[in-house]
């Protein structure tokens, strides 16, 4: 079966070299040398001020809310992985949904204000499929209403906005390094903030509140990453350029072939993508189910990310229904994309989808593509059969 992704495994000999070093020191966890090295390298690679590694991305979210002392309610997106919502509920913070932008599929900053209640303290937004949120407008709304901003950056590793890491926006960004993610440590995650005092507090929260052998400062939990996981991360970080290049190549082929036949996610202007996913929106759920069945017949397993819309979850009711998110979640399918995806498999995916869409006689309305974005050039459309973004560095 060809799945929507395949966990990237770096060089095995290199990984075993790190394992040898772990056996030599006997240091398996609790802020070992490999975790320290990975933190330093990620800080430089991403270009962020503070990064604290955690043992998964869900706990990273929970600790982010704790570090900011959040209570009451938070405005969040209904179109994300369930952990964005469940982490809030788990921490006793009531999620209030605001709808998504129908083009970028991210939380619509214009929808936030109407949802703010007396006890609302924060905005929790996801850079969905690695598409940067409208961070500037969200920052304005947050400032006006004195709300904290937390970005669930689980899909956004390497993503840049105006040539800086998108993780530099908001009070805190969280990452997931789960095995299915673009960059991974088998299980793992991270918390990013440019506030040094907040970073120190986060480190305490991740380690039971233990300051020193004899001093415990407040409640904490265990969110530590282990050395074997860090070793995997160090190996994969070496290969990031190759991983991003291969994903971009696959994504641009999909874009070329499918862009005129299916709705694609509109990229946030001034941003760079990482192609952690390749989602398409079909005409409706009927076409989606038909295409999925046709692909499954050929041994290809696309995934319905994200379905259902999170405003329908039983444990967050009552909620005001969010129509854009509900409609989109019924028609989005993520196609296989990962380094090493065989070309013939991608061709099969494309052919199967085009065959189904061929009954559509009218081409879709002209799509608006971003003009020039940092480091990217949108080629002259007249010269192309389909729009395409090309890296110019
Ligand atoms: C994967 C993911 C998470 C959860 O991360 P884990 O490391 O699996 O706990 C949270 N939010 C989003 C958007 C994700 O895709």
């Amino acid at each position: 079966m060809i799945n929507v992704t395949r966990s990237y495994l770096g060089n095995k000999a290199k990984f075993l070299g790190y394992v040898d070093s772990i056996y030599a020191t006997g240091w398996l966890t609790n802020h070992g040398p490999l975790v320290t090295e990975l933190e330093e390298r990620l800080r430089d690679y991403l270009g962020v001020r503070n990064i604290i590694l955690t043992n998964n991305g869900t706990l990273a979210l929970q600790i982010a809310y704790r570090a900011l002392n959040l209570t009451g309610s938070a405005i969040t997106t209904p179109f994300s992985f369930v952990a964005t919502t469940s982490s809030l509920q788990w921490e006793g913070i009531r999620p209030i949904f605001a709808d998504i932008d129908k083009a970028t599929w991210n939380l619509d900053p214009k929808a936030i204000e109407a949802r703010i209640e007396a006890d609302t303290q924060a905005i929790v937004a996801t850079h969905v499929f690695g598409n940067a949120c409208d961070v500037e407008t969200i920052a304005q709304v947050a400032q006006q209403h004195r709300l904290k901003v937390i970005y669930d950056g689980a899909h956004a590793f390497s993503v840049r906005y105006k040539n800086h890491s998108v993780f530099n926006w908001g009070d805190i960004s969280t990452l997931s390094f789960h095995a299915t993610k673009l960059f991974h440590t088998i299980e793992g995650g991270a918390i990013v903030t440019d506030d040094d005092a907040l970073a120190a507090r986060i480190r305490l929260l991740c380690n039971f509140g233990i300051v020193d052998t004899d001093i415990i400062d407040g409640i904490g939990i265990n969110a530590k990453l282990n050395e074997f996981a860090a070793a995997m991360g160090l190996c994969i970080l070496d290969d990031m350029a190759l991983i991003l290049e291969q994903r971009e190549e696959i994504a641009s082929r999909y874009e070329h072939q499918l862009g005129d036949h299916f709705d694609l996610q509109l990229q946030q202007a001034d941003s760079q993508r990482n192609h952690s996913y390749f989602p398409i929106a079909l005409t409706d759920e009927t076409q989606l189910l038909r295409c999925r069945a046709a692909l499954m017949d050929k041994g290809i397993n696309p995934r319905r990310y994200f379905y259902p819309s999170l405003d329908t979850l039983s444990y967050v009711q009552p909620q005001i229904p969010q129509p854009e998110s509900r409609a989109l979640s019924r028609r989005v399918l993520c196609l296989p994309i990962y380094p090493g995806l065989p070309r013939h498999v991608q061709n099969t995916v494309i052919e199967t989808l085009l065959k189904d869409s061929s009954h559509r006689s009218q081409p879709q309305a002209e799509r608006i593509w971003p003009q020039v974005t940092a480091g990217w050039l949108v080629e002259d459309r007249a010269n192309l059969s389909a729009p395409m973004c090309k890296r110019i560095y």
Side-chain angles (χ1 to χ4, degrees), residues 56-58 61 80-81 83-84 126 152 154-155 176-178 181 187-188 277 306:
N56 65 63
T58 306
L61 282 164
S80 182
F81 181 59
T84 315
T126 302
D152 181 341
H155 302 173
S176 165
F177 299 154
H178 182 258
K181 305 295 200 288
E187 292 270 6
Y277 298 84
F306 292 100

Side-chain angles (χ1 to χ4, degrees), residues 44 61 64 67 74 135 138-139 203 220 260 263 269 305 323 326 336 372:
D44 292 346
L61 282 164
V135 289
I138 289 176
R203 286 196 187 278
D260 283 344
D263 289 330
Y305 295 145
R326 288 192 182 190
V372 176

Side-chain angles (χ1 to χ4, degrees), residues 300-313:
I300 293 158
N301 185 19
R303 289 294 300 271
R304 294 188 76 178
Y305 295 145
F306 292 100
Y307 180 85
S309 182
L310 298 173
D311 59 315
T312 65
L313 290 172

Side-chain angles (χ1 to χ4, degrees), residues 98 115 148 165 170 183 203 234 262 290 333-334 343 356:
R115 293 280 175 273
K148 300 287 185 193
S165 172
F183 167 84
R203 286 196 187 278
L234 286 166
F262 301 95
R290 204 169 53 227
L333 203 56
C334 282
R343 175 84 69 119
D356 193 279

Side-chain angles (χ1 to χ4, degrees), residues 199-384:
R201 195 170 141 66
I202 289 165
R203 286 196 187 278
L204 276 184
L205 288 173
C206 289
N207 188 33
F208 310 101
I210 296 173
V211 179
D212 213 334
T213 43
D214 298 335
I215 307 167
I216 295 167
D217 179 12
I219 190 168
I221 199 162
N222 179 4
K224 298 186 304 293
L225 192 71
N226 71 73
E227 291 287 282
F228 290 88
M232 179 62 79
L234 286 166
C235 293
I236 295 173
L237 195 55
D238 285 342
D239 298 346
M240 279 317 297
L242 183 86
I243 291 168
L244 290 168
E245 204 172 288
Q246 290 209 16
R247 284 180 171 275
E248 199 207 321
E249 200 182 308
I250 296 165
S252 69
R253 204 177 307 132
Y254 274 139
E255 257 164 32
H256 257 104
Q257 305 282 330
L258 301 176
D260 283 344
H261 305 272
F262 301 95
D263 289 330
L264 303 182
Q265 186 183 25
L266 178 71
Q267 186 182 340
Q268 174 67 38
D270 295 323
S271 69
Q272 286 162 280
R273 301 287 298 268
N274 61 5
H275 300 295
S276 47
Y277 298 84
F278 197 91
I280 63 169
L282 296 108
T283 315
D284 52 30
E285 193 167 22
T286 312
Q287 190 193 24
L288 178 143
L289 294 174
R290 204 169 53 227
C291 285
R292 182 173 71 169
L295 288 168
M296 296 283 268
D297 268 355
K298 296 185 165 134
I300 293 158
N301 185 19
R303 289 294 300 271
R304 294 188 76 178
Y305 295 145
F306 292 100
Y307 180 85
S309 182
L310 298 173
D311 59 315
T312 65
L313 290 172
S314 61
Y315 58 78
V316 296
Q317 300 310 320
Q319 291 287 338
I320 298 171
Q322 303 302 318
E324 294 296 349
S325 175
R326 288 192 182 190
L328 182 70
S329 67
R330 277 192 289 267
R331 56 192 198 100
V332 170
L333 203 56
C334 282
L335 307 180
I337 183 166
Y338 53 82
L341 176 72
R343 175 84 69 119
H344 74 270
V345 173
Q346 191 181 11
N347 289 342
T348 304
V349 174
I350 291 166
E351 281 157 21
T352 307
L353 292 169
L354 288 181
K355 207 161 156 192
D356 193 279
S357 79
S358 61
H359 67 273
R360 285 177 104 172
S361 50
Q362 295 294 319
Q364 287 183 32
E366 184 86 351
R367 227 175 271 110
I368 306 152
W369 290 83
Q371 296 298 305
V372 176
T373 62
W376 294 74
L377 177 72
V378 178
E379 288 194 357
D380 180 6
R381 285 205 58 177
N383 299 329
L384 289 164

